[in-house]
Amino acid sequence: MNKTLRRLLRDWAALVGAGILLLLGVSTVMAPWILPYGFAEVVAFPFEPASAQFWFGTDEIGRDIFTRIIYGARVSLTVGFVSTSIALVGGIPLGLISGYRGGLIDTVLMRLMDMMFAFPAIILALAIIAVLGPNLLNAMIAIGVMQIPLFARLVRGNTLSLKNQDYVQAAIAAGAGMARILTFHILPNTMSAIMVQFTLTFASAVLVEAALSFLGLGVAPPTPSWGAMLDTGRKLITVSPLYSVSAGAAIFVTVLGLNLVGDALRDALDPRMVDA
Amino acid sequence: MFFRFIAERLFHMAIVMWLVATLVFFIFRVLPGDPAQLVLGLEPSRASLEALREQMGLNRPLFVQYTDWLWRVAQGDLGLSISQGNRAVASLIFPALWRTLELAAIGILIGLLVSIPLGILAARRAGTWVDQVTRLFALAGFSLPSYWLAILLMLAFSYQWNLLPAGGYVAPNEDFGRHLRHLVLPSITVGVVMAAVLTRFMRSGMLEVLRLDYVRTAHAKGLSPANVVYRHALRNAMIPFITVVGINFGALIGGMVVTEQVFAWPGLGWLIIQSITVRSYAVVQGAVLITAALFVTINLIVDLLYAFIDPRVSYG
């Protein structure tokens, strides 16, 4: 068993985080078989209090809140995964080329990244959604695009330090082209850093999606989304406090799970960490 | 050398600002919908619509509108908000900016007051349960949707115990006491998230420094542990920390869009959302531009500060 895995298995954060994500993943996939109600199904009067039948009560039109929270994970996890993948696919080549070639191309690309960084993330997303219109796909694009600089900068930094390593110089001397060096010699050695960044970015993407839905710029009803539920719950806070509390808790637990795993992964992959 | 460094950074900043302004202009010009029609309501007469389009300059070629806008922005003129009663955009933005900065500053202050001692404690007790509790606090705070925290605070302090207002804003010159009462919950919301993020960085920065030879030497000289940590190590640990505070300032302004919305705190984020709903291009444009300018300026200050406090940074 390798050292990283051994470290992960000894870290409570990794185990708790992985447990949360596993539970969430399984219940989301299995939702239609394990839950008695559908997410758009009206099952009782509005604002039923919490009971054995309706764990978190019912919402403003009588749908089961617990059911909607479980289904809400689908939106959050899909948006998180797809948008982070967009950022990854966009950021890696930019970072590799920028770091490896240096010079003008590096300056131009990094100034562009600076420009994107100059927009607070959610404001850039708001602008993109204002242009494209509010729906799930556009939310994913907006969140993905604004996270590109994170990966571009990370990969660029790693490329800069790796390109002067002896083994890369040897590959150049042996006549390998740029594409070959970047894909086979540099990229594999930045993968661990990318993995950590992916997990942490995934977490923040879930948060941004929820924020956008909260502001009414995410998924359209009746598809359940935690952010939108939190917003509805907020307006009904005096009638049904459990509504917004449970929707927010779902976001919190999911993001915490991702951050726990990301944080543990970072520690486990850090060569300076000494095994106790 | 130092002046050349500053000049170069200023030049880069100007380029970034120009690119940002360009992006802002074109994003808002490709928005569907006719701003003139939105101002006039559902069925304006053709003549009045045409007159307003002419007045707003919407009939001119896009490139002319762009250069004209850029020229006016460079002079500090952000235009008029027609849907908000022909008020100058700047007169809407700057008071809002001030309110956002007030909230952000208090939030950062809370963040620093919590994170510096907590980060130092965690670093000194690295690997123990104290360190693990701090780690959990930091990760939890980092994972907390700020708007949820806001709602929880409101539930407890406003609805349950009736201690503090659930939202809104009172100007300080109107009633300073009430101003402060309205400030408490929003600034705790901002501060908790900030504290969580900064604690992690304070811990790792401190840990890095505590491993260095000069710290061991200081211990060997017989200095008290507190003396070593606070007088010798802390100064060097603060160098990367300042950068992190600067970078997080941008993220903070972004996160405050939602917090301001929840607490009806009329800052820049709140203004942006309000203006998006009434499609007031000029205000959204101006507000986004000012936010970006603020962020770029802060980055520049952080860069300069960094070069200033760390003698190893070259200005090349």
Side-chain angles (χ1 to χ4, degrees), chain B residues 126-141:
Chain B
T128 65
W129 66 270
V130 180
D131 187 25
Q132 293 299 321
V133 170
T134 320
R135 182 185 183 196
L136 185 64
F137 161 76
L139 284 171

Side-chain angles (χ1 to χ4, degrees), chain A residues 94-109:
Chain A
L94 287 179
L96 285 173
I97 292 171
S98 198
Y100 190 75
R101 293 294 294 269
L104 184 66
I105 197 164
D106 180 38
T107 310
V108 170
L109 283 176

Side-chain angles (χ1 to χ4, degrees), chain A:
Chain A
M1 198 162 46
N2 75 34
K3 208 160 87 187
T4 308
L5 196 61
R6 216 167 43 231
R7 282 180 181 170
L8 280 177
L9 287 176
R10 264 210 313 260
D11 189 350
W12 62 267
L15 297 178
V16 173
I20 292 174
L21 296 182
L22 196 70
L23 190 68
L24 201 70
V26 170
S27 56
T28 308
V29 173
M30 302 290 289
W33 294 280
I34 53 176
L35 294 172
Y37 320 111
F39 64 80
E41 193 183 336
V42 175
V43 290
F45 286 113
F47 304 122
E48 288 278 350
S51 64
Q53 198 182 359
F54 310 113
W55 288 3
F56 296 158
T58 59
D59 70 1
E60 73 281 11
I61 51 175
R63 296 171 298 193
D64 181 40
I65 292 179
F66 181 73
T67 304
R68 289 181 63 75
I69 283 182
I70 297 293
Y71 275 99
R74 291 186 166 185
V75 171
S76 286
L77 296 180
T78 309
V79 173
F81 186 79
V82 173
S83 60
T84 312
S85 303
I86 292 175
L88 184 88
V89 171
I92 289 179
L94 287 179
L96 285 173
I97 292 171
S98 198
Y100 190 75
R101 293 294 294 269
L104 184 66
I105 197 164
D106 180 38
T107 310
V108 170
L109 283 176
M110 285 305 119
R111 283 315 129 202
L112 263 168
M113 296 294 112
D114 277 356
M115 181 188 82
M116 287 173 67
F117 258 139
F119 288 93
I122 193 152
I123 291 181
L124 185 60
L126 284 177
I128 294 175
I129 284 176
V131 175
L132 299 177
N135 63 49
L136 193 62
L137 181 69
N138 294 342
M140 291 193 284
I141 295 174
I143 299 169
V145 167
M146 77 194 199
Q147 315 256 37
I148 286 179
L150 286 176
F151 287 95
R153 285 210 165 167
L154 176 78
V155 173
R156 172 182 178 266
N158 278 324
T159 309
L160 274 178
S161 64
L162 286 172
K163 77 174 177 189
N164 292 320
Q165 300 264 323
D166 290 341
Y167 78 94
V168 174
Q169 294 301 322
I172 297 174
M178 184 176 90
R180 186 176 173 81
I181 289 175
L182 290 179
T183 350
F184 293 104
H185 297 281
I186 292 185
L187 188 58
N189 282 304
T190 64
M191 274 329 268
S192 58
I194 291 175
M195 224 155 69
V196 173
Q197 187 64 50
F198 189 89
T199 322
L200 299 175
T201 309
F202 194 143
S204 76
V206 170
L207 275 181
V208 177
E209 185 277 325
L212 289 176
S213 300
F214 184 78
L215 294 170
L217 298 168
V219 195
T223 312
S225 138
W226 293 336
M229 291 174 72
L230 192 53
D231 181 42
T232 315
R234 172 176 72 108
K235 288 166 187 151
L236 303 165
I237 197 165
T238 46
V239 193
S240 168
L242 196 58
Y243 196 163
S244 51
V245 171
S246 58
I251 303 171
F252 174 58
V253 170
T254 307
V255 176
L256 183 65
L258 286 163
N259 277 332
L260 283 170
V261 170
D263 194 65
L265 209 54
R266 178 166 48 198
D267 281 357
L269 290 167
D270 188 348
R272 285 171 309 177
M273 285 285 282
V274 194
D275 279 309

Side-chain angles (χ1 to χ4, degrees), chain B residues 31-88:
Chain B
L31 272 179
D34 178 352
Q37 177 147 22
L38 278 159
V39 171
L40 293 174
L42 273 180
E43 284 179 19
S45 74
R46 187 160 288 275
S48 57
L49 192 65
E50 208 41 50
L52 186 64
R53 288 186 60 85
E54 194 63 46
Q55 188 204 330
M56 291 169 83
L58 294 168
N59 285 335
R60 296 170 304 162
L62 198 61
F63 186 73
V64 176
Q65 291 184 42
Y66 165 65
T67 47
D68 182 55
W69 181 72
L70 213 56
W71 176 240
R72 281 189 291 114
V73 165
Q75 293 168 314
D77 175 10
L78 294 171
L80 295 175
S81 171
I82 295 177
S83 43
Q84 273 129 314
N86 260 331
R87 290 181 59 188

Side-chain angles (χ1 to χ4, degrees), chain B residues 38-311:
Chain B
L38 278 159
V39 171
L40 293 174
L42 273 180
E43 284 179 19
S45 74
R46 187 160 288 275
S48 57
L49 192 65
E50 208 41 50
L52 186 64
R53 288 186 60 85
E54 194 63 46
Q55 188 204 330
M56 291 169 83
L58 294 168
N59 285 335
R60 296 170 304 162
L62 198 61
F63 186 73
V64 176
Q65 291 184 42
Y66 165 65
T67 47
D68 182 55
W69 181 72
L70 213 56
W71 176 240
R72 281 189 291 114
V73 165
Q75 293 168 314
D77 175 10
L78 294 171
L80 295 175
S81 171
I82 295 177
S83 43
Q84 273 129 314
N86 260 331
R87 290 181 59 188
V89 169
S91 76
L92 291 166
I93 287 178
F94 286 103
L97 175 66
W98 180 245
R99 294 190 280 262
T100 292
L101 285 178
E102 182 187 10
L103 196 53
I106 297 177
I108 286 187
L109 193 69
I110 295 177
L112 291 176
L113 287 176
V114 176
S115 67
I116 294 179
L118 213 55
I120 293 175
L121 185 73
R124 290 178 73 178
R125 304 252 185 285
T128 65
W129 66 270
V130 180
D131 187 25
Q132 293 299 321
V133 170
T134 320
R135 182 185 183 196
L136 185 64
F137 161 76
L139 284 171
F142 199 55
S143 310
L144 206 60
S146 55
Y147 35 93
W148 185 52
L149 177 63
I151 292 171
L152 293 182
L153 288 174
M154 260 185 229
L155 262 176
F157 291 96
S158 310
Y159 296 110
Q160 195 66 35
W161 299 317
N162 233 333
L163 290 172
L164 290 161
Y169 175 84
V170 176
N173 52 8
E174 201 175 303
D175 185 339
F176 194 67
R178 284 184 60 210
H179 175 74
L180 290 182
R181 281 167 53 83
H182 280 84
L183 197 58
V184 176
L185 294 183
S187 51
I188 290 178
T189 307
V190 175
V192 166
V193 179
M194 201 68 192
V197 177
L198 294 181
T199 302
R200 285 299 280 168
F201 285 101
M202 192 66 224
R203 176 191 175 272
S204 60
M206 199 65 189
L207 216 49
E208 207 114 297
V209 175
L210 288 178
R211 284 188 188 134
L212 295 180
D213 285 341
Y214 86 93
V215 172
R216 194 175 339 145
T217 310
H219 279 297
K221 280 199 304 187
L223 296 179
S224 71
N227 202 335
V228 174
V229 169
Y230 292 100
R231 298 203 45 171
H232 292 249
L234 185 58
R235 287 182 121 183
N236 280 330
M238 285 309 277
I239 295 173
F241 189 69
I242 289 175
T243 317
V244 172
V245 174
I247 290 171
N248 273 289
F249 194 85
L252 178 65
I253 302 262
M256 279 170 54
V257 170
V258 195
T259 309
E260 287 181 355
Q261 200 67 14
V262 176
F263 286 110
W265 184 265
L268 212 52
W270 179 86
L271 183 68
I272 290 176
I273 304 288
Q274 296 300 311
S275 305
I276 285 181
T277 35
V278 295
R279 277 267 170 84
S280 176
Y281 287 154
V283 179
V284 183
Q285 257 180 356
V288 171
L289 194 65
I290 294 293
T291 317
L294 192 69
F295 190 44
V296 175
T297 314
I298 286 165
N299 273 345
L300 179 74
I301 295 172
V302 169
D303 266 8
L304 295 180
L305 218 56
Y306 199 76
F308 193 65
I309 50 176
D310 188 348

